[in-house]
Amino acid sequence: MVTKAAARTTGLSHRATYQDVLDAPPHKVAEIIEGILHMSPRPASMHAWASTGLGESIGPPFNRGRGGPGGWWIVDEPELHLGEDILVPDMAGWRRERMPEFPNVTFFTLAPDWACEILSPSTRALDQGIKRTIYAREGVAHLWFVDPDARTLEAFELHDGKWVLLETVTDNDPVSLPPFEAISFSLGDLWPDTEPESENDDGDEVD
């Protein structure tokens, strides 16, 4: 059942249903975890910039095969219906060998192969707590946490149902991590105060 504390938080006195998600205010991200409705504010500017930068880095090479191998569907904020739980990761990806055609649906029932959460003060505990547990339960093979405040990326891989930390990347370090190790990009592309590399007309970097 929904606890009294959870009921106070969400305004519910019953076990949450999908109708509660549909009825959530448009400025909130609504999720149902273990029968409890969680409503989080829409991403703040640093969060949104980090998500945009990550999408620009991995989207073209893996969605489209531009500068990379392709073979993925990378999606922003997909709604996942995993058993009775409804989660909305900041980004998620499916290998096309598992999902050959992109479905025309309201929500996804197939667990992704990769999920990424952009951490913020209001969602950190949920993302790194029960949501991480649900991703493991559903067999999501790879999970990334991006922290705009600490300027870090933590990459985890699922082994025997448990998360194993592969690497923590910081500041402007290069990122080449599973499942996207076929390319390398700068983690600095996720922070708004990082200067882009300058190039001359011949494509050479300017000293």
Side-chain angles (χ1 to χ4, degrees):
M1 293 182 63
V2 178
T3 65
K4 290 182 178 179
R8 286 196 298 270
T9 300
T10 62
L12 297 178
S13 59
H14 62 273
R15 188 175 181 85
T17 68
Y18 189 44
Q19 188 60 48
D20 296 309
V21 172
L22 297 177
D23 292 341
H27 62 285
K28 297 286 188 179
V29 177
E31 301 175 291
I32 295 177
I33 300 174
E34 296 183 334
I36 299 172
L37 177 66
H38 296 264
M39 291 190 291
S40 306
R42 300 300 304 177
S45 59
M46 295 299 182
H47 181 294
W49 185 267
S51 181
T52 298
L54 183 57
E56 290 175 342
S57 297
I58 65 174
F62 291 96
N63 266 344
R64 303 294 184 182
R66 297 170 185 162
W72 284 78
W73 304 109
I74 308 293
V75 183
D76 292 331
E77 295 189 344
E79 185 176 299
L80 309 178
H81 287 218
L82 306 175
E84 294 185 351
D85 298 308
I86 299 176
L87 307 186
V88 182
D90 290 293
M91 297 180 71
W94 289 259
R95 296 183 188 272
R96 297 196 186 198
E97 61 194 36
R98 288 185 61 237
M99 193 167 74
E101 296 185 2
F102 193 78
N104 182 10
V105 294
T106 303
F107 52 80
F108 296 83
T109 57
L110 179 66
D113 297 285
W114 166 81
C116 178
E117 299 287 0
I118 313 294
L119 302 178
S120 64
S122 62
T123 63
R124 181 185 302 273
L126 194 65
D127 291 340
Q128 294 185 315
I130 187 60
K131 287 180 72 173
R132 171 159 46 182
T133 300
I134 293 171
Y135 291 138
R137 182 195 73 195
E138 297 296 322
V140 177
H142 300 275
L143 177 61
W144 288 11
F145 290 121
V146 172
D147 189 334
D149 292 331
R151 297 166 68 103
T152 61
L153 185 159
E154 291 183 313
F156 292 85
E157 192 168 66
L158 194 64
H159 288 278
D160 298 324
K162 298 184 181 299
W163 292 114
V164 175
L165 177 63
L166 299 179
E167 188 175 346
T168 300
V169 185
T170 62
D171 295 322
N172 301 329
D173 289 345
V175 179
S176 184
L177 294 168
F180 305 122
E181 68 270 29
I183 67 164
S184 179
F185 63 92
S186 171
L187 189 63
D189 293 341
L190 278 59
W191 323 133
D193 58 348
T194 302
E195 291 294 330
E197 293 183 352
S198 298
E199 295 185 354
N200 60 24
D201 293 339
D202 296 327
D204 297 325
E205 292 185 14
V206 176
D207 293 332

